[in-house]
Amino acid sequence: MTKKRRSQAWYGKSDRDGFIHRSWMKNQGFPDHAFDGRPIIGICNTWSELTPCNSGLRELAEGVKRGVWEAGGFPVEFPVMSLGETQMKPTAMLFRNLLAMDVEESIRAYGIDGVVLLGGCDKTTPGQLMGAASVDLPTIVVSSGPMLNGKFKGKDIGSGTDVWKFSEAVRAGEMTLKDFMNAEAGMSRSKGVCMTMGTASTMASVVEAMGMSLPTNAALPAVDARRMALAHLTGKRIVEMVEEDLKLSDVINRASLENAILANAAVGGSTNAVVHLLAVAGRVGIDLTLEDFELGSEIPLLVNCMPSGKYLMEDFCYAGGMPVVLSELKDKLRPANTVMGGDISAYAEGAECYNTNVIRAMDNPLKPAAGLRVLKGNLAPNGAIIKPSAATDALLEHEAEAYVFESIEDMKANIDRDDLPVTPDTILVLKGCGPKGYPGMPEVGNMPIPAKLVKEGVRDMVRISDARMSGTAFGTVVLHVSPEANAGGNLALVATGDRIRLSVKEGALDVLVSDAVLAERRANWTADAPHYTRGYAKLYIDTVMQADKGADLDFLVGKDTRPVTRESH
Ligand code: FES
């Protein structure tokens, strides 16, 4: 135990400062040898009863601790802000960057040598990765794991995806309110994250594809005993990583980010992965762009999970999980280091598919091309995205008149009006839901189909906004329009009756209005005054970057790995 570790600057000194750092920790009953220079491992926990998806992380932390002690390390668990996607208003995304700041400053300020990130619910994984990347210690992820498959009336139901379907069915008079309410408990019947391939499981899948977790982390159900064993093994591994000085930036680089993009396509992952991976890349110092996500457009859809397919994460796990996907992608993956210390190809070694309906082979995919498409044009000069695998094929090439909602309140107040002047061809446009505008870029891009059309059986329309969409949602939905309306993007200038042209084949999104008319409208346009004028929300509105840059705060890009030298006493 001779190597001078970062933690020794806290616990290795025999002066007054060393006394204070050690003595106060000893009030928890830690013996002297806990401070003998062994790796001190921070367990960064987003457990919270207000984040039900992460409610199993207390037990998993105990698993990590067992592994850390076994390997000769000293584990210390600490809490950070938790982001309950379904519980927070106005949107958990507003606070992703605040979590990232909390994680970054907690890791930096404390005397730890390596860190295990315990997260799961949508924004917790990216927020933790972003914060950890800006300190760049040896870092590894253990995810919450998905809930067991939802069950209702003898059938599997998926979180999120079936909520959207059920609520449309209630609006269409095809499902009773009583059944709708009864489905609630059956949908969420164990701890864990949404068991569809929503943002949480998408992020866990891309984390595994980046080599930032141990293999199988993404899909093991939250309540499967093997997840506890994985936590234990992760605890052992992080101690070795500290000894090997294998830092986060040794694992997350351009190659691993490209692998994340490829994997995101193959699993039919969430559009939210775009904004999160861009933000993580910014922290690590990689110039990842929206165009880089086109890498995934040649990748077939292999994982048959909702919302792009029909199965759920439990099925994905039992079919073999991410190791099988990585095995199918082996000819496409970039050579890239992992937290295991070897190449990502090792994650696929020995992988066997046990259900070829759930995980398809490259030569028998669910869809031939699954990746996200980037759209550009005068309606989105800096880009927008669409997820064709969750869209209606016939709408991917579409030109029609727009019906514009100026705000979320406008949309909610009017979408179900019987006299709303829309047809199934109309393109619905929603403004004011970008990072600055809402604020926080909520998941409202998959706005409901107008009630009068739902009654006629319409289930999809082209919808365009500067918002995001839940990873569990589906539809022909153009998202992340940049610049957003509140930042003065052309989206702000679109009016009801304008013709809009969407061509996914050409990657084009244009409002068919002359430059002169747009210039005239711009001259009369002013941004709405922000609703939030103080605190973190003001800081966010003032400094958040646009979606095509990952919606990080501009002053948080990059990292600071300098030692902390000053003492508080
Ligand atoms: Fe937490 Fe879906 S709401 S993972």
Side-chain angles (χ1 to χ4, degrees):
M1 218 57 80
T2 50
K3 188 174 173 211
K4 181 92 172 152
R5 304 191 192 286
R6 181 178 188 271
S7 57
Q8 286 292 285
W10 279 256
Y11 303 109
K13 298 193 286 188
S14 46
D15 59 5
R16 187 188 63 176
D17 292 329
F19 177 104
I20 291 171
H21 291 309
R22 285 186 303 273
S23 174
W24 265 256
M25 288 292 278
K26 284 181 177 177
N27 84 345
Q28 299 170 86
F30 294 123
D32 287 345
H33 71 261
F35 306 96
D36 64 2
R38 64 187 59 214
I40 298 187
I41 305 300
I43 301 173
C44 175
N45 202 342
T46 53
W47 173 89
S48 167
E49 287 181 341
L50 286 167
T51 307
C53 315
N54 292 6
S55 59
L57 291 179
R58 260 194 177 164
E59 293 95 82
L60 284 184
E62 294 306 315
V64 174
K65 287 177 195 173
R66 290 181 199 166
V68 171
W69 284 120
E70 185 188 341
F74 172 21
V76 278
E77 183 183 350
F78 63 94
V80 287
M81 184 181 194
S82 192
L83 309 178
E85 187 69 28
T86 51
Q87 312 296 318
M88 295 185 95
K89 293 182 181 187
T91 168
M93 180 64 174
L94 175 61
F95 306 108
R96 182 200 63 176
N97 302 339
L98 184 58
L99 167 62
M101 289 170 85
D102 184 355
V103 170
E104 174 180 346
E105 302 306 345
S106 294
I107 295 174
R108 184 177 291 115
Y110 286 114
I112 58 178
D113 301 299
V115 62
V116 179
L117 304 176
L118 297 188
C121 192
D122 295 12
K123 305 306 175 292
T124 53
T125 302
Q128 286 182 298
L129 277 177
M130 290 160 66
S134 289
V135 195
D136 201 17
L137 300 186
T139 304
I140 190 166
V141 173
V142 177
S143 303
S144 296
M147 289 187 263
L148 297 174
N149 287 2
K151 297 280 179 189
F152 181 60
K153 292 196 166 180
K155 293 208 175 88
D156 280 358
I157 56 172
S159 16
T161 306
D162 278 309
V163 180
W164 316 128
K165 288 186 178 156
F166 290 166
S167 70
E168 293 295 85
V170 171
R171 292 168 76 228
E174 295 162 359
M175 184 180 196
T176 65
L177 201 53
K178 187 160 172 272
D179 273 353
F180 185 65
M181 308 295 266
N182 285 344
E184 283 176 10
M187 183 166 283
S188 307
R189 63 193 185 91
S190 80
K191 290 178 177 169
V193 300
C194 295
M195 83 308 274
T196 43
M197 189 57 80
T199 303
S201 288
T202 296
M203 290 309 296
S205 298
V206 301
V207 158
E208 189 171 330
M210 282 197 292
M212 274 301 297
S213 69
L214 298 190
T216 74
N217 172 64
L220 280 172
V223 294
D224 192 310
R226 291 170 292 179
R227 179 162 291 282
M228 190 66 168
L230 182 128
H232 185 136
L233 293 171
T234 302
K236 280 184 74 180
R237 181 60 199 147
I238 187 68
V239 174
E240 295 165 359
M241 286 173 68
V242 169
E243 279 162 1
E244 295 162 14
D245 197 24
L246 182 62
K247 300 184 297 298
L248 181 144
S249 61
D250 297 320
V251 177
I252 301 185
N253 50 33
R254 173 161 276 279
S256 58
L257 286 162
E258 290 185 0
N259 287 340
I261 292 170
L262 299 172
N264 187 45
V267 303
S270 162
T271 46
N272 289 319
V274 177
V275 76
H276 298 323
L277 289 173
L278 288 169
V280 170
R283 298 301 187 101
V284 182
I286 309 289
D287 185 24
L288 198 72
T289 65
L290 213 45
E291 281 71 18
D292 287 316
F293 285 82
E294 292 281 355
L295 271 177
S297 60
E298 300 301 309
I299 298 293
L301 178 61
L302 302 181
V303 176
N304 191 1
C305 275
M306 292 182 196
S308 297
K310 67 174 188 177
Y311 294 99
L312 295 166
M313 288 301 290
E314 210 184 325
D315 309 304
F316 180 44
C317 173
Y318 304 151
M322 280 307 287
V324 175
V325 174
L326 297 174
S327 167
E328 288 296 326
L329 291 175
K330 62 180 179 300
D331 296 335
K332 308 275 183 192
L333 291 178
R334 280 65 171 143
N337 201 12
T338 70
V339 290
M340 299 292 283
D343 187 71
I344 187 66
S345 55
Y347 280 39
E349 267 166 28
E352 260 185 82
C353 182
Y354 303 113
N355 188 335
T356 52
N357 285 328
V358 178
I359 309 176
R360 300 291 190 89
M362 285 291 263
D363 56 7
N364 181 33
L366 203 63
K367 289 196 178 185
L372 306 171
R373 285 306 312 270
V374 176
L375 306 169
K376 286 203 169 171
N378 72 354
L379 193 45
N382 295 343
I385 58 168
I386 187 167
K387 183 178 179 181
S389 67
T392 303
D393 288 342
L395 290 173
L396 295 176
E397 305 295 314
H398 192 68
E399 183 188 316
E401 281 190 3
Y403 186 87
V404 176
F405 297 106
E406 294 293 333
S407 67
I408 191 77
E409 289 78 18
D410 180 16
M411 189 274 286
K412 286 187 171 167
N414 292 297
I415 191 84
D416 287 342
R417 261 176 38 209
D418 284 341
D419 61 345
L420 196 73
V422 293
T423 72
D425 278 341
T426 303
I427 295 179
L428 301 177
V429 174
L430 174 61
K431 302 178 185 176
C433 296
K436 288 177 186 292
Y438 200 76
M441 206 184 172
E443 296 184 332
V444 297
N446 57 320
M447 62 193 106
I449 304 296
K452 72 175 209 183
L453 298 179
V454 171
K455 285 179 198 140
E456 292 169 18
V458 177
R459 289 293 181 273
D460 195 12
M461 295 170 74
V462 174
R463 288 158 275 177
I464 298 173
S465 73
D466 43 14
R468 294 177 303 114
M469 165 171 97
S470 163
T472 61
F474 52 90
T476 311
V477 186
V478 176
L479 302 156
H480 307 193
V481 167
S482 175
E484 63 174 296
N486 289 61
N490 279 352
L491 181 66
L493 310 178
V494 178
T496 293
D498 289 348
R499 287 192 79 74
I500 289 177
R501 177 171 175 268
L502 163 70
S503 172
V504 172
K505 211 183 314 163
E506 294 171 23
L509 182 67
D510 292 283
V511 54
L512 306 180
V513 172
S514 71
D515 288 348
V517 171
L518 287 177
E520 195 182 311
R521 289 182 190 174
R522 180 169 297 285
N524 294 317
W525 177 82
T526 47
D528 293 340
H531 176 68
Y532 294 87
T533 55
R534 63 168 300 282
Y536 169 74
K538 174 169 168 46
L539 177 72
Y540 179 93
I541 293 167
D542 289 348
T543 61
V544 71
M545 300 187 297
Q546 290 293 288
D548 62 297
K549 302 280 183 236
D552 201 357
L553 304 187
D554 56 14
F555 62 92
L556 293 175
V557 173
K559 59 187 166 187
D560 182 354
T561 58
R562 294 172 299 172
V564 184
T565 52
R566 291 184 172 173
E567 294 281 354
S568 62
H569 23 74

